[in-house]
Amino acid sequence: MSISKAAILLLFVLVSLSAYGQDIGRPKPPRTRVNPEGLADTTKTAKPNPPAIDGEDDEEEEPKPAKIKDTTNYPFLTELHLLLDYGKLLTLPTPFESKAEGGIQAVFENRYVGSISYGYGNINPTGAYKNSDYNATGTYIKPGLFYQLAINPKNKLLLGAQYGMASFEDSGVTTIESASGLFEPYERAFARGGLKASWLELSIQSEGNFRGNFWLGFRASYRHLISIDNPGDPDVLIVPGYGKTVGSGVPAVNLFLKYKLNFFHPPVVVVPESED
């Protein structure tokens, strides 16, 4: 091959490679397809979907249920409760104490509860004083006010306070015996009436529906002694309705059975059936 033909061939190859390199960097034209009518249709290449992120839930998160506010228009006097402390009735057969307590509660606007309780106690604790027999007998009354929280239609919680007032008497016999037996036993009796005491009672009360209009519950309280008539020699040891006077406060638990008279019946809401 002559030198002139080789030079022409080399120039042709270089020009072809240059054109091919420019075509690589140039964007490709849109694809063309023919539809059934024979018309050309140009479509752009669809963009790829972005990759899914790990941990992303394909299902939509369920919305949280909105809090429903009770807008029921309750009457001023919603319910009336008759209450019996059956825990105290269990003490009647025992030889060392006999107690009984009952009360009435009125519920206003389904929130506020006014209560009043009346009770009786005859307590003769064993070992109250060394070499002494002690007995306290009397009655008491406890007005109170509570705030009612409805946990659900069959369970309720009450928070409140009561003010207790007791009128009672105490008596006893102190016996001192001679250790050697040379002397007759010495006995000293005492009896005091017209004694009074008062206290404050902070309470939390839980109750649940038992059957029909009958409810069962318990009340946990802390009682703080406010005032007491205490002649001394010996000191007053027991106050009916309060308990032992040792210290300034005592805990207490009451078990009760309640019957409710309901003066309000909520309207019945009819929910239409689903078409599904």
Side-chain angles (χ1 to χ4, degrees):
M1 182 182 294
S2 62
I3 297 176
S4 60
K5 289 183 178 181
I8 293 172
L9 181 60
L10 180 61
L11 180 62
F12 177 78
V13 172
L14 292 176
V15 171
S16 298
L17 291 175
S18 177
Y20 179 74
Q22 293 178 3
D23 186 65
I24 293 176
R26 187 179 305 166
K28 295 181 179 181
R31 296 179 181 177
T32 303
R33 67 179 181 180
V34 179
N35 56 20
E37 287 77 14
L39 300 177
D41 183 20
T42 58
T43 59
K44 295 183 179 180
T45 304
K47 296 181 179 179
N49 294 328
I53 302 175
D54 295 340
E56 182 178 1
D57 192 0
D58 295 337
E59 298 181 358
E60 296 182 358
E61 184 179 355
E62 296 182 0
K64 295 181 180 180
K67 294 183 179 180
I68 301 175
K69 185 178 181 181
D70 187 3
T71 58
T72 307
N73 186 19
Y74 293 97
F76 179 70
L77 180 58
T78 310
E79 295 176 347
L80 190 65
H81 303 168
L82 304 178
L83 185 146
L84 177 65
D85 190 331
Y86 68 88
K88 287 185 170 57
L89 296 180
L90 300 178
T91 65
L92 294 179
T94 63
F96 54 88
E97 62 179 356
S98 298
K99 296 184 288 186
E101 182 179 328
I104 299 176
Q105 292 181 338
V107 182
F108 303 98
E109 298 180 354
N110 203 42
R111 288 186 179 89
Y112 309 103
V113 182
S115 70
I116 186 167
S117 301
Y118 180 82
Y120 164 83
N122 181 11
I123 304 99
N124 184 13
T126 58
Y129 285 111
K130 188 176 182 179
N131 301 328
S132 179
D133 179 30
Y134 185 85
N135 181 79
T137 303
T139 58
Y140 57 93
I141 188 171
K142 296 190 297 184
L145 183 64
F146 293 85
Y147 184 79
Q148 177 175 271
L149 300 171
I151 301 175
N152 54 53
K154 291 186 175 294
N155 292 275
K156 296 184 180 181
L157 187 69
L158 285 79
L159 305 174
Q162 294 176 289
Y163 180 77
M165 297 172 288
S167 177
F168 64 102
E169 60 185 21
D170 67 351
S171 60
V173 177
T174 301
T175 304
I176 302 176
E177 296 182 355
S178 173
S180 61
L182 298 177
F183 303 96
E184 293 291 331
Y186 171 77
E187 293 186 352
R188 178 179 177 272
F190 66 93
R192 301 172 296 196
L195 303 177
K196 296 184 182 298
S198 63
W199 65 91
L200 179 65
E201 195 166 320
L202 302 178
S203 305
I204 177 172
Q205 176 176 310
S206 176
E207 58 188 43
N209 184 244
F210 172 63
R211 181 178 297 175
N213 290 343
F214 289 95
W215 292 60
L216 288 174
F218 75 94
R219 179 189 301 157
S221 307
Y222 177 78
R223 298 168 179 168
H224 176 74
L225 190 63
I226 297 176
S227 65
I228 183 173
D229 295 338
N230 191 357
D233 192 24
D235 292 335
V236 173
L237 182 65
I238 298 290
V239 175
Y242 175 81
K244 290 187 177 182
T245 60
V246 178
S248 59
V250 294
V253 174
N254 297 83
L255 304 175
F256 60 86
L257 173 66
K258 179 184 291 189
Y259 182 80
K260 292 189 177 184
L261 300 174
N262 196 341
F263 299 104
F264 173 74
H265 300 280
V268 177
V269 180
V270 179
V271 180
E273 297 183 356
S274 176
E275 296 180 357
D276 297 339

